[in-house]
Structure formats: C-alpha cells, structure tokens
Amino acid sequence: MSEPSFAALVSRWYERNARDLPWREPGVGAWAILVSEIMLQQTPVVRVLPAWRAWLDRWPTPAALAEDTPAEAIRMWGRLGYPRRAVRLRDCAAAIVERHGGEVPDRLDQLLALPGVGTYTARAVAAFAFGQRHPVVDTNVRRVVCRAIAGEPDAGPATRPADLVATEELLPAEPAAAALASAAFMELGAMICTARSPRCAMCPAESVCAWRASGQEAPTGPTRRPQRYAGTDRQVRGLLLAVLREATGPVPHQRLDQVWHDGVQRARALAGLVTDGLVEPAGEDSFRLVGDGPPMIPLP
C-alpha cells in the first residue's frame, strides 16, 4: 500500500482540526464566501468576523449591495483598513447584477473579470464556493509548499507563477478533494507552519517535509519590514475618513483641518482619498463620502 500523499495527510488533519469559521459552514453561498475573501485580505480573522456578519445582514445578496451607495459601503467597512476594498466590493456587486443576473459566476475567467477580484480571490471563490480544482495560493500556502516540497525556510515576499504550478501539482485530481486540500494547505500555514514559530511536532506532514528533513532553522527576522503607521499619510487618511463616515452631510474643510496638525500632509491625504474614489468635493469648500448625496452640479 502506498504512503498517503502530502495533500491527503494535510486534508485529514484539516477535517479534524479546522477552525470553526462561518464562511466554511455547509450551504454558505458564493456571495458570502466572496465577501469573506475580500475582507480577509491583510486583515486578521478576529476583526473580519463581526464585520462579515454585519455586512451580510445588511446586504445578503449582490443586488442588495448594488442598490446602495458607495458611501454606505465605506461606512459599513468601518475600520477594517484599506477602505478601497469596500468600493471595489460594491462595484463587484453591481457587475454581478449587470453581467450575471445577480448570481456570483462559477467560471474562473468570469470571476477574474469582476472589479476588485484578483488571481487569489477568483481561485478561492471557485474552489471554496464551487468545489473546483484550482491552486489557491496566499502567503501561508506559499510558505507551506516552499518548506514541505522545496525544502526552503521561506517563500519570499511575492507570489510567482511557479507558486501556482507547484501548488497545483499537489492537488488531488478529483475537484472536491482538491478544493478541500486547498483549504487545508491554507489552514496549515496559518495555524501550524507559521513564519517564525512553526509547530513542526504538531504538523501532520512532518514525516514528509523536505525542510524538516534538511534541519534548517526558521528565519529569525521579518521577511519584509513592517509598515510604519503612526504619522504616515495612511493614518491621516484614516482620521479624515472617520470624520466623513460619521457625518450626515457634507463636511466643511475647516472641520477636516482639525484632524491633523500638518496642513501639507493633510491636504495630500485628502487629495489621495479623492483620487482613490473614496471622497468627493461637495460644494466650494466641503467634502463627503463618494456618492453620499445627489450628483454635484459643476460650478460655473
């Protein structure tokens, strides 16, 4: 009898040990999974859970979100970070309604064509919502495959085409089993094969891990320098956006001037919000969230 494959070992572990997350429950629709995947980008699960539930309570279908304004999407996004994702998700909902009758498409090419849906998200939805066989590669999966198969301690900062190929080669041929394996690889990287403190003794694939066999140590420093937040334009953007989210109408420029002491940096951050389609002028000297009111009549 042949030894279990790497995918089989990890999938068995996943079936016994996977975290109980609501977007993994049987019967959760493709829209709920798509929302979770976009929210989870660069955001911890603990912060996503309440936001995901609130979002789906308000907008249980793409059509419900498409009928609302970008401003309301930004408000509901709250402090999840990277608020452009809220606008893109609303644009995505509108495209689903326009192109696919309000149903999230199941074809990879159609998913990739949706606004705000990239290589990872499209494959994740195809696998986790529709049970298809696609390599779903995030930072955790790249690290797992790099260690277990290539024997290297770290996969580097960016996904490459070779990562998709290497991951696909590990997937079972049967689509449902491949989708399970994709989820299992991701969970293993998040919970066991972590970047700095891997728990190799608890890993279901320790016996077949090339990195473990090599005896190499885990990296001691960060794979990328942590991004500074305090005092950055990103912080100032967040402060400005918080005032605009809480407002019920246009916010005078003088009110926005109070959120940050550096006028040059404040102006740059506000201009960036306008460029990113999150904020728009609301008259001669005030601003509002994009779409938060009737269309503006250009000044003569």
Side-chain angles (χ1 to χ4, degrees):
M1 179 182 247
S2 61
E3 292 295 323
S5 67
F6 177 78
L9 290 170
V10 180
S11 294
R12 290 172 190 171
W13 167 85
Y14 176 81
E15 291 180 309
R16 296 189 300 269
N17 297 282
R19 288 171 291 176
D20 183 15
L21 299 176
W23 43 82
R24 291 176 174 170
E25 293 177 1
V28 171
W31 171 241
I33 291 172
L34 174 59
V35 172
S36 76
E37 290 296 340
I38 290 178
M39 285 188 169
L40 286 164
Q41 294 168 13
Q42 298 178 284
T43 308
V45 167
V46 67
R47 293 183 61 201
V48 167
L49 281 167
W52 180 83
R53 291 190 176 100
W55 189 279
L56 290 173
D57 283 344
R58 180 165 181 176
W59 298 306
T61 64
L65 177 56
E67 290 173 358
D68 219 327
T69 65
E72 287 306 304
I74 296 168
R75 284 196 173 95
M76 279 295 290
W77 197 259
R79 295 185 178 274
L80 274 183
Y82 305 99
R84 276 180 292 180
R85 289 182 292 171
V87 176
R88 289 172 180 166
L89 188 49
R90 193 261 177 190
D91 292 343
C92 179
I96 290 171
V97 171
E98 180 182 348
R99 303 173 193 173
H100 306 290
E103 299 294 329
V104 177
D106 61 359
R107 281 173 35 190
L108 183 60
D109 60 334
Q110 293 175 336
L111 287 165
L112 285 167
L114 294 173
V117 174
T119 298
Y120 163 79
T121 303
R123 285 171 169 79
V125 172
F128 304 147
F130 299 111
Q132 297 177 11
R133 186 183 187 276
H134 295 288
V136 183
V137 181
D138 69 351
T139 299
N140 289 318
V141 173
R142 288 193 302 109
R143 183 170 59 252
V144 165
V145 174
C146 184
R147 286 176 176 174
I149 308 304
E152 298 294 333
D154 197 278
T159 300
R160 304 162 299 171
D163 296 319
L164 292 171
V165 174
T167 303
E168 185 170 15
E169 289 176 351
L170 297 174
L171 296 178
E174 201 274 317
L180 176 66
S182 290
F185 296 165
M186 196 173 301
E187 188 79 345
L188 187 72
M191 305 305 295
I192 301 294
C193 192
T194 56
R196 296 291 160 260
S197 302
R199 297 186 288 167
C200 295
M202 301 180 65
C203 179
E206 181 188 17
S207 63
V208 297
C209 177
W211 175 60
R212 185 69 164 161
S214 74
Q216 296 182 70
E217 297 293 331
T220 56
T223 55
R224 63 180 73 180
R225 182 175 297 177
Q227 292 184 342
R228 183 172 61 91
Y229 180 73
T232 63
D233 284 6
R234 186 177 164 212
Q235 182 188 15
V236 182
R237 284 164 59 101
L239 294 171
L240 293 167
L241 208 55
V243 172
L244 291 159
R245 277 201 311 268
E246 294 165 7
T248 57
V251 177
H253 207 302
Q254 295 89 332
R255 171 67 184 89
L256 296 175
D257 288 347
Q258 298 172 20
V259 307
W260 192 252
H261 60 280
D262 186 332
V264 173
Q265 186 178 23
R266 189 177 61 244
R268 183 171 65 240
L270 183 58
L273 291 171
V274 173
T275 299
D276 288 345
L278 297 168
V279 173
E280 62 185 6
E284 187 173 354
D285 199 30
S286 59
F287 293 84
R288 66 186 183 190
L289 295 179
V290 65
D292 197 19
M296 296 299 302
I297 299 174
L299 294 174

